Amino acid sequence: MEDVLSQASDLEKMGVKEVILVAQDVTSYGKDIYGSYQLVTLLKKLSQFNFDWIRLMYCYPELVSDELIEEISTNPKIAKYVDIPLQHVDDGVLKLMNRRSRKEQIVSIVNKLRAKCPDIAIRTTFMVGFPSETKEQFNNLCSFAKEYKLDHVGVFAYSKEEDTPSAKIKGHLDEETKLERVDILGEILEENNLKANEKFVGKIVKVLYEDIDYERNMFVGRTQYNAPEIDSVVYFSGEFADVGEFYNVKITAVDGYDLIGEIVE
């Protein structure tokens, strides 16, 4: 932990506005060194630095504890955003994937997060076409996507790799079926995203200015609900803006996955 805090101190001196904690499973932080999970302790210590956003990436669902949810919801330094790699929600597929979580637990975590922090953005990824995935199991995933409408979702087709446990499972699906399922789920997710974006129209959000789009002649930034490079952005206009600074932006329109707005006082 001392190494992480030392790096955080250096970043603070550089004027860094956002720190991202990332690991294959960031929720397991500390278990190997200290014998117990220490992510919440680390978050409390990092919150003492002059960062605006502390972002969590790759929190395995079985370790998203009530203590962690409480810290995310009450700590103003923590971005109201969490990446939980679910992969699937059908219990049979999850078991074959050797995932420890099950649908009931996943639903419980999503409900708890939204109850404690109604504006939280939840990101995940889904894999379709896993060996022996039935149409019913795929439909279970689609039903979940329609009902719970997670904020940012990546979807990809299973790819067979030699010498992996899944390669030995019987019932591999053909490429056409896998790609068809990607398209079906993708349409659901696209509709979810459009409806979610429309809720921002007319609202004022805090945006970190990061780039400029010369073709649009607009500034480009992110809200706390968007991670860099993988999520949508906010295109906004204004008389002047400094890269790396925050601006209050009134959202005026939706452009696909992205938002359009203008700086307001």
Side-chain angles (χ1 to χ4, degrees), residues 83-107:
D83 188 316
I84 306 176
L86 299 177
Q87 300 288 74
H88 214 283
V89 297
D90 182 87
D91 287 353
V93 177
L94 288 168
K95 185 176 181 180
L96 278 177
M97 288 179 169
N98 201 27
R99 309 287 290 190
R100 287 176 286 171
S101 57
R102 295 295 180 263
K103 182 181 179 180
E104 183 179 1
Q105 184 181 17
I106 291 168
V107 168

Side-chain angles (χ1 to χ4, degrees), residues 33-172:
I33 302 173
Y34 305 107
S36 61
Y37 302 115
Q38 294 293 317
L39 178 58
V40 172
T41 300
L42 178 61
L43 289 171
K44 291 181 184 293
K45 291 181 180 293
L46 285 173
S47 298
Q48 298 172 15
F49 292 93
N50 190 31
F51 303 128
D52 290 86
W53 294 339
I54 301 170
R55 189 177 302 277
L56 297 173
M57 303 290 287
Y58 314 131
C59 297
Y60 271 48
E62 57 269 17
L63 294 179
V64 179
S65 63
D66 291 346
E67 181 187 24
L68 178 58
I69 292 173
E70 182 71 18
E71 186 67 20
I72 293 171
S73 63
T74 59
N75 188 333
K77 289 290 186 75
I78 300 178
K80 301 306 176 260
Y81 178 106
V82 61
D83 188 316
I84 306 176
L86 299 177
Q87 300 288 74
H88 214 283
V89 297
D90 182 87
D91 287 353
V93 177
L94 288 168
K95 185 176 181 180
L96 278 177
M97 288 179 169
N98 201 27
R99 309 287 290 190
R100 287 176 286 171
S101 57
R102 295 295 180 263
K103 182 181 179 180
E104 183 179 1
Q105 184 181 17
I106 291 168
V107 168
S108 175
I109 290 167
V110 171
N111 287 337
K112 283 181 179 180
L113 282 166
R114 288 176 168 168
K116 278 286 187 179
C117 190
D119 63 337
I120 194 166
I122 303 174
R123 160 170 268 283
T124 195
T125 49
F126 288 136
M127 179 193 293
V128 301
F130 194 78
S132 80
E133 180 192 54
T134 65
K135 188 173 182 180
E136 181 182 2
Q137 290 172 325
F138 172 68
N139 288 339
N140 288 341
L141 177 59
C142 291
S143 295
F144 175 88
K146 290 178 181 179
E147 182 174 358
Y148 291 95
K149 297 177 173 59
L150 303 187
D151 303 86
H152 307 289
V153 183
V155 56
F156 59 98
Y158 168 82
S159 177
K160 184 178 181 180
E161 300 291 338
E162 292 185 11
D163 299 322
T164 59
S166 63
K168 301 173 184 177
I169 299 174
K170 294 181 180 180
H172 282 260

Side-chain angles (χ1 to χ4, degrees), residues 216-231:
R216 292 174 180 260
N217 195 29
M218 299 184 82
F219 304 119
V220 185
R222 290 183 293 114
T223 70
Q224 65 174 316
Y225 312 112
N226 306 95
E229 299 184 10
I230 58 173
D231 294 331

